[in-house]
Amino acid sequence: MVTHEDILKIAKLAKLEVEDSELDGLTKDMNEIISFADTIASVSAQDEAYSDINGLENVLREDVVQPGLTCDEVLANAEDTDGSSFVVKQHA
């Protein structure tokens, strides 16, 4: 169970200021978060009944290598080249 002292220590580590009036709410919220995390942790990951409740599956295609452009085709519309590369002007 998280206490006011725990909240103050966490706030100090995070370099946050916490008013005394906020301690009750923050303590309650932190305990609810931890309780929720405990509930999630207690669920068995081996239960496949919930692994695909919508019946969806990935539809993937095989990768197929297709021909690309030649170096000359890539550089055809370039403003400036050195024969095999783009030449880019240096900006100051």
Side-chain angles (χ1 to χ4, degrees), residues 70-72 74-75 78 80-87:
T70 66
C71 187
D72 291 334
V74 171
L75 297 174
D80 193 12
T81 69
D82 68 359
S84 62
S85 304
F86 294 99
V87 175

Side-chain angles (χ1 to χ4, degrees), residues 14-89:
K15 297 182 180 180
L16 299 173
E17 290 185 25
V18 176
E19 301 292 329
D20 290 338
S21 61
E22 299 174 303
L23 282 176
D24 288 335
L26 289 172
T27 302
K28 179 180 177 278
D29 290 346
M30 185 66 78
N31 280 312
E32 288 175 1
I33 291 168
I34 292 172
S35 175
F36 182 70
D38 288 342
T39 301
I40 291 173
S42 69
V43 174
S44 171
Q46 302 301 322
D47 188 5
E48 293 184 25
Y50 296 101
S51 64
D52 186 13
I53 62 173
N54 295 319
L56 300 175
E57 62 183 63
N58 287 336
V59 179
L60 304 174
R61 63 170 172 77
E62 292 295 320
D63 289 335
V64 178
V65 177
Q66 297 183 354
L69 300 173
T70 66
C71 187
D72 291 334
E73 291 171 324
V74 171
L75 297 174
N77 292 322
E79 186 176 318
D80 193 12
T81 69
D82 68 359
S84 62
S85 304
F86 294 99
V87 175
V88 180
K89 296 177 185 174

